Amino acid sequence: MGEIPPFIFLPFLPMIATKPEQKAFPQIEQGVFPARCYSIVDLWTQESTFSWVTKKQRKVCIFWEFPTELYEDDDWVEKPFTINKTYTLSLFEQSKLREHIESWLGRGLTPKEEAVGFEMNWLLGLPCQIQVLKEASKTDSAKVFANVNSVISLPKWMTVPPQIHESVMVDVEDWNSEKFTNLPKYYQDKIKESFEYKEQNDWTNIPDVAL
């Protein structure tokens, strides 16, 4: 028999839990770029606080792609940069949504649109120009985000390449579970925070059924 090697004592290695590194989502640079709306998501009624005043407001998020501004993902596939903005669903004269819709269309709202309302699905697939500004986070100045500053109608001479993303409309009036589950988790969670979602999924209000 060969000689038995002596027992080797290894240094104590502590078990350490670490926070996984979060990969930064690719952001478009600051500037003005041709864009196209590819998705509109109804976030239902959300509770928001501004200047210490809490309100219940219907919210909607609009998503655009920049088909002329591309990046390579981890699989070396070219994809367009995207951006989104959440609005209060209101045509009040000072509302940001109305301001952006009118500058996007290059006209004011018609008397009919004023009286009946503007159908948001008309914006799906509609090209425009978007002015992007880079702004620091209000809670962490080290984080910088690309934000929609303005939405502008296209000049007559400008064309935008064909749409790349599939058009998606998530509407409270036409609920589709598949579209909901395909949303990014952040927006699924936002919808789940809405008053309508909580009311529809409140099992405590289901009456007892006599057997």
Side-chain angles (χ1 to χ4, degrees), residues 41-48 55-61 86-91 97 120 169-174 194-196:
V41 177
D42 187 349
L43 298 176
W44 293 2
T45 304
Q46 302 282 333
E47 188 173 82
S48 58
K55 296 181 179 180
K56 294 180 181 179
Q57 296 176 315
R58 183 82 171 271
K59 297 289 185 177
V60 63
C61 188
T86 298
Y87 300 87
T88 299
L89 190 61
S90 168
L91 295 181
L97 178 63
M120 296 293 293
M169 182 84 178
V170 178
D171 189 350
V172 64
E173 305 297 337
D174 185 23
S194 70
F195 290 91
E196 293 86 347

Side-chain angles (χ1 to χ4, degrees), residues 5-141:
F7 187 78
I8 300 176
F9 290 93
L10 297 176
F12 174 70
L13 298 177
M15 181 185 296
I16 301 175
T18 60
K19 182 179 179 180
E21 182 180 354
Q22 292 185 340
K23 185 177 179 181
F25 190 80
Q27 293 187 32
I28 192 167
E29 291 301 313
Q30 185 166 272
V32 179
F33 308 95
R36 191 184 300 274
C37 172
Y38 71 90
S39 183
I40 300 174
V41 177
D42 187 349
L43 298 176
W44 293 2
T45 304
Q46 302 282 333
E47 188 173 82
S48 58
T49 301
F50 181 74
S51 297
W52 298 283
V53 178
T54 300
K55 296 181 179 180
K56 294 180 181 179
Q57 296 176 315
R58 183 82 171 271
K59 297 289 185 177
V60 63
C61 188
I62 301 178
F63 296 76
W64 295 268
E65 64 178 21
F66 299 98
T68 61
E69 308 301 315
L70 308 176
Y71 71 95
E72 289 185 342
D73 66 9
D74 293 337
D75 297 320
W76 305 100
V77 177
E78 282 194 334
K79 293 183 177 180
F81 284 97
T82 62
I83 201 168
N84 64 77
K85 183 172 179 63
T86 298
Y87 300 87
T88 299
L89 190 61
S90 168
L91 295 181
F92 178 64
E93 290 184 358
Q94 278 72 45
S95 74
K96 185 61 67 173
L97 178 63
R98 178 169 183 157
E99 175 190 330
H100 282 183
I101 288 177
E102 290 184 333
S103 61
W104 188 347
L105 299 177
R107 62 169 176 81
L109 296 180
T110 66
K112 181 179 179 180
E113 290 167 341
E114 289 262 19
V116 180
F118 183 85
E119 293 188 24
M120 296 293 293
N121 62 318
W122 291 351
L123 300 175
L124 275 179
L126 191 65
C128 60
Q129 292 183 95
I130 289 182
Q131 181 188 34
V132 179
L133 290 184
K134 288 293 187 73
E135 298 174 308
S137 167
K138 294 179 180 179
T139 56
D140 185 353
S141 59

Side-chain angles (χ1 to χ4, degrees), residues 169-171 174-181:
M169 182 84 178
V170 178
D171 189 350
D174 185 23
W175 182 253
N176 185 300
S177 297
E178 182 179 354
K179 290 181 180 179
F180 172 75
T181 55

Side-chain angles (χ1 to χ4, degrees), residues 159-211:
T159 58
V160 179
Q163 186 171 319
I164 299 172
H165 287 87
E166 178 184 0
S167 291
V168 177
M169 182 84 178
V170 178
D171 189 350
V172 64
E173 305 297 337
D174 185 23
W175 182 253
N176 185 300
S177 297
E178 182 179 354
K179 290 181 180 179
F180 172 75
T181 55
N182 286 334
L183 288 174
K185 186 178 182 303
Y186 173 83
Y187 293 99
Q188 290 186 40
D189 291 342
K190 289 298 292 182
I191 291 174
K192 289 178 181 178
E193 292 173 3
S194 70
F195 290 91
E196 293 86 347
Y197 188 93
K198 290 178 180 178
E199 183 177 325
Q200 291 182 18
N201 293 273
D202 184 3
W203 296 97
T204 62
N205 291 330
I206 298 178
D208 294 333
V209 179
L211 299 177

